[in-house]
Amino acid sequence: MPARTRAGESVNTRLLFTPLSAIVAAALLSAACGTSQTPQQAGPPSARVLPSILLVTLDTTRADAIGPEAAGIATPAFNAVAARGRRFRQAYATAPETLPSHASMMTGLYPAGHAVHENGRTVSSGQPLLAEQLRKAGYRTAAFVSSFILARRFGLARGFDRYDDDLPAGREERVAAATTDAALALLGGQPSTQPLFLWVHYFDPHAPYTPPEPYRTTYSRNPYLGEVASMDAQFGRLVQSFERLAKGPVAVVVVGDHGEGLGDHGELLHGNLVYQSTMHVPLVLVGPGVPADTVDTPVSARRVYHTILDWAGVDATGSLRGVVSEIVLGEAMKPFLEYGWQPQTMAVEGRQKSILAGRMEIYDVVADPRESRDLASTATQSPQLQVAIRDYPVPSAESAKPPDTLSEDARRSLASLGYVSATAAPIVRKGAPRPADMTRMFDLLEKASGLFVNGQYARVIPLLEKILAEDSHNLDACLRLAIAHSSLGHDGRAEEIFRKAGELAPRSPDVRLYLALHYARSRDWARAEPLLEQIVAATPDRLPALEALAVIRERQGRIAEAVGLRQQIYAMRKPSGDELAQLGQLAMGTEQTALAIDAFEKARAGQGSLFAHDLELGVLYLAARRYEDARSALDRVTASHPEFPMALFKRAQVSVLLNEPDRAARIDRARRYADQTTRALIARERLFQGAR
Ligand SMILES: [Zn+2]
């Protein structure tokens, strides 16, 4: 059982492709609308000196909760930056969840393009990322994130020289002040002539809303706004230091990753709907070639990627420094992927926003920003918009690998829209409800999710049963119910419900994964092993599967494979000191000396005086002919160590090899304290013969 089973972790997704007509249509669309032209006057960054770039992402920040037009809140730092730059009044997240939205900013693609539709998934290792490109362009790169949702394991760390996802022990988030301190420590450190790309992510406005003083008091009637105001103050500190300490010109992007429902349309939080409350986000650019103005043309937050590449002199295509006029798309697929409800997409053209989820809704978001008057019966959509929203590829919960039959041209056309294309229609079950009609379930789903994620299995079971009573096709609830029973040792009941989950989603890799973990938990290794092998082969980035398979390989004595799996795991998440020490021992057992030394050294650095493997480390250094290091390590082994005689024997060897004056005394001491094992070794040791 993985330590964390996040809301998004129960259905794997792969793109299926939509029919060929969609490809043609998409090609037309990109030809008709263009995507962007960067006008000549914007040009390359001035004097070809690359600016240092600060990207600040504001989690859960509604467009109407920050900036000069926000009501009931003062955000002076954001306002000051906005006054110097370009503020987009119609910017949209690509999805109302943290990881998919950030993945769009780091890839320039809609979720349909990067395939991360929910939190808890992993950005594919083959997907080029912004930081990688900036590093190639000569940038130093650093990221400071504030939530577990963006931890290294989810795939966005690639390309960052430093990716700081250090959260306070036992917490899943850190406050903006702490994240800012960490980022400022980097800025205050070693000066460099290289330009810097710094990404800072603040998480504070995410529920629960508990702002620090004085914001708690000032905003006691609206603690959500208190969180935003408090974050704004930290943002101000950050920008000020960045502009002061960065060498040369600077550019700043500040953008929300999605908003918060706060009760609009029956949604308190975010993730289930695509109304303005959660999709409309703040976005401001300041930097070379950017005038101080406001822009009312709708833009997608994915363009942050293109804009930053433009500043870095890599490519100006799609940059928001120029004029971008396009249909802006968005999606909220969690209810579809997790609960089997209607897939949800949105498209904004000018002031008209369309939402497609079972049926079409149309709103004028300028005249009616609360989306209270559905104009679907009277308004007309442009043909381009109709195509864009209908053909936005819906992912498939059935995870078949998409056939690779697209022409290069079609692929390019679709890529210009920000998504890879599809060749098969998604499977939407008959009678699937519209998410907007299911708001009565949101609270129950949220409560169940909270209890489940915190491992309160006995308490979550009645809630999950209630959800299934109302919504019997809810795969997420079904799978969680099975896992809850499994965790409580109700093996028979668990297997019965896993069977039901398998009927709901016959090819779901998640059902297979959690069933495999169930077998592993109940020590049914014979049934766990083949399932885990399948899962790891198909999706090598599923951490819980890797962890369970590593345990099985160790039990089977297939140590070299276990070591390989552990290395894969620790590339995705930070290992504990104990885990590193254990890896060191495993690697030692397979004579991978360099790897073992590395693991033990890291364990020692983390554990300090609690580190208990100096003997192993000494032996490894000796094997690597690093005699001085071996001496230091062996000298740290205390007499209370159960294998102290071995330490004395090894220390005597080192002493001879280093030609120390007291080598004879050390050999005598090793003899005197010898146990059965070392007595034989000492007797045979050639180094000791004649070492007087
Ligand atoms: Zn978020």
Side-chain angles (χ1 to χ4, degrees):
M1 186 58 213
R4 304 243 155 266
T5 308
R6 288 251 140 208
E9 240 194 312
S10 49
V11 179
N12 192 21
T13 56
R14 281 282 179 80
L15 281 180
L16 281 184
F17 287 133
T18 50
L20 205 63
S21 63
I23 297 161
V24 177
L28 281 177
L29 177 58
S30 66
C33 303
T35 46
S36 116
Q37 295 92 39
T38 305
Q40 286 308 313
Q41 68 265 28
S46 57
R48 295 239 160 249
V49 178
L50 297 178
S52 281
I53 301 167
L54 171 64
L55 167 63
V56 183
T57 57
L58 310 175
D59 215 288
T60 324
T61 303
R62 289 169 63 121
D64 62 7
I66 195 166
E69 288 161 40
I73 180 172
T75 52
F78 181 92
N79 298 6
V81 171
R84 293 191 280 131
R86 171 168 278 186
R87 182 163 61 93
F88 292 87
R89 300 210 296 183
Q90 292 295 333
Y92 288 90
T94 63
E97 277 206 310
T98 305
L99 184 66
S101 176
H102 280 90
S104 288
M105 294 188 237
M106 297 300 166
T107 62
L109 301 172
Y110 286 114
H114 57 63
V116 175
H117 300 273
E118 314 164 81
N119 291 338
R121 304 292 163 180
T122 311
V123 178
S124 150
S125 56
Q127 184 67 61
L129 296 179
L130 179 59
E132 292 177 304
Q133 305 208 44
L134 291 171
R135 192 146 75 174
K136 265 188 235 153
Y139 276 76
R140 288 187 297 146
T141 53
F144 295 82
V145 300
S146 301
S147 162
F148 173 77
I149 300 171
L150 296 177
R152 169 178 299 274
R153 74 177 69 180
F154 300 115
L156 290 178
R158 226 174 338 111
F160 284 103
D161 302 326
R162 167 138 179 233
Y163 194 86
D164 182 330
D165 58 357
D166 280 343
L167 306 178
R171 299 292 311 275
E172 286 172 22
E173 61 181 284
R174 65 176 159 186
V175 296
T179 308
T180 305
D181 287 345
L184 294 191
L186 173 98
L187 288 171
Q190 210 112 65
S192 165
T193 51
Q194 271 177 287
L196 172 68
F197 170 54
L198 174 62
W199 167 33
V200 174
H201 162 250
Y202 291 135
F203 196 65
D204 305 52
H206 201 278
Y209 316 128
T210 52
E213 290 295 358
Y215 305 96
R216 183 184 305 239
T217 304
T218 311
Y219 293 92
S220 60
R221 294 166 65 101
N222 191 333
Y224 168 75
L225 289 181
E227 292 275 29
V228 176
S230 150
M231 173 178 72
D232 180 71
Q234 296 302 323
F235 169 69
R237 261 177 86 206
L238 176 68
V239 172
Q240 237 177 26
S241 298
F242 182 79
E243 295 193 327
R244 187 162 45 84
L245 296 170
K247 301 277 170 278
V250 294
V252 178
V253 186
V254 51
V255 60
D257 74 334
H258 53 76
E260 185 81 320
L262 300 180
D264 293 0
H265 301 271
E267 186 178 38
L268 280 176
L269 306 174
H270 56 268
N272 286 322
L273 299 174
V274 287
Y275 293 106
Q276 294 296 82
S277 47
T278 62
M279 298 301 282
H280 184 206
V281 291
L283 170 60
V284 164
L285 312 177
V286 177
V290 179
D293 61 6
T294 54
V295 172
D296 287 322
T297 312
V299 295
S300 171
R302 75 186 175 100
R303 294 292 178 198
V304 161
Y305 169 89
H306 304 92
T307 307
I308 290 176
L309 285 185
D310 179 19
W311 270 322
V314 176
D315 185 357
T317 312
S319 166
L320 294 176
R321 292 201 306 150
V323 178
V324 175
S325 178
E326 63 180 345
I327 291 169
V328 171
L329 302 171
E331 62 159 70
M333 294 297 174
K334 185 177 93 171
F336 169 62
L337 295 168
E338 302 291 317
Y339 317 142
W341 300 350
Q342 290 284 351
Q344 245 171 162
T345 51
M346 60 156 239
V348 186
E349 185 177 30
R351 54 197 287 167
Q352 188 190 74
K353 173 172 164 189
S354 301
I355 296 173
L356 179 60
R359 64 173 170 80
M360 195 74 79
E361 295 161 69
I362 302 178
Y363 300 98
D364 177 340
V365 288
V366 175
D368 176 27
R370 300 185 70 84
E371 294 153 296
S372 56
R373 291 185 298 278
D374 182 358
L375 308 172
S377 56
T378 53
T380 48
Q381 297 163 311
S382 72
Q384 292 90 335
L385 185 134
Q386 288 179 18
V387 169
I389 195 165
R390 290 199 186 279
D391 287 349
Y392 181 91
V394 169
S396 168
E398 293 296 311
S399 170
K401 204 172 164 71
D404 204 8
T405 54
L406 281 184
S407 75
E408 265 316 297
D409 275 357
R411 203 179 290 283
R412 257 195 299 280
S413 308
L414 288 157
S416 72
L417 263 177
Y419 51 72
V420 291
S421 65
T423 57
I427 301 157
V428 180
R429 78 176 150 90
K430 219 171 155 227
R434 297 168 65 242
D437 294 336
M438 296 296 274
T439 54
R440 66 176 192 285
M441 302 280 293
F442 288 1
D443 191 40
L444 186 57
L445 288 164
E446 199 59 45
K447 274 202 190 101
S449 179
L451 289 174
F452 182 85
V453 169
N454 289 314
Q456 293 177 280
Y457 299 121
R459 288 183 58 199
V460 79
I461 285 175
L463 270 58
L464 293 169
E465 280 170 346
K466 207 164 149 193
I467 293 168
L468 285 168
E470 282 212 42
D471 187 26
S472 63
H473 286 76
N474 194 313
L475 176 62
D476 179 67
C478 188
L479 208 42
R480 287 181 164 187
L481 185 60
I483 294 165
H485 280 297
S486 165
S487 303
L488 294 169
H490 311 157
D491 289 356
R493 186 91 179 100
E495 276 165 47
E496 190 184 313
I497 301 166
F498 271 120
R499 242 191 315 279
K500 192 184 164 209
E503 284 160 18
L504 287 179
R507 288 192 293 155
S508 162
D510 291 278
V511 176
R512 244 179 300 149
L513 170 64
Y514 290 106
L515 183 58
L517 295 176
H518 163 72
Y519 290 142
R521 192 182 301 112
S522 47
R523 306 190 165 268
D524 187 346
W525 309 112
R527 286 207 279 179
E529 185 187 359
L531 273 178
L532 289 168
E533 283 171 345
Q534 270 178 36
I535 294 159
V536 167
T539 45
D541 49 15
R542 301 306 294 273
L543 202 47
L546 291 171
E547 307 241 21
L549 192 57
V551 170
I552 291 180
R553 290 294 177 252
E554 276 160 47
R555 293 179 50 87
Q556 293 170 325
R558 290 160 71 169
I559 302 300
E561 286 166 75
V563 168
L565 287 165
R566 293 250 157 247
Q567 285 178 283
Q568 255 176 284
I569 293 164
Y570 301 150
M572 292 166 71
R573 68 164 176 84
K574 206 169 156 186
S576 70
D578 283 343
E579 287 175 325
L580 283 166
Q582 200 193 351
L583 175 63
Q585 277 168 317
L586 291 174
M588 206 171 166
T590 52
E591 294 179 19
Q592 302 183 67
T593 306
L595 174 63
I597 288 177
D598 181 61
F600 279 128
E601 283 178 344
K602 283 183 183 143
R604 181 166 176 254
Q607 292 182 313
S609 61
L610 293 174
F611 180 70
H613 300 278
D614 283 310
L615 174 56
E616 289 91 329
L617 201 45
V619 170
L620 288 161
Y621 285 137
L622 186 56
R625 297 168 194 270
R626 291 167 60 178
Y627 303 132
E628 311 268 346
D629 291 328
R631 173 169 59 194
S632 315
L634 292 168
D635 282 346
R636 290 193 298 265
V637 180
T638 58
S640 61
H641 193 291
E643 290 185 72
F644 190 60
M646 181 61 78
L648 291 177
F649 165 59
K650 289 287 164 188
R651 182 65 183 85
Q653 286 181 311
V654 170
S655 190
V656 175
L657 289 163
L658 286 172
N659 213 15
E660 289 178 326
D662 64 348
R663 57 192 182 278
R666 287 195 179 273
I667 295 168
D668 285 344
R669 189 147 179 254
R671 282 208 175 96
R672 199 155 4 107
Y673 291 98
D675 60 11
Q676 218 174 346
T677 311
T678 60
R679 196 166 300 120
L681 292 169
I682 292 167
R684 287 204 306 269
E685 180 54 66
R686 292 214 184 139
L687 279 177
F688 294 167
Q689 291 162 18
R692 286 282 147 192

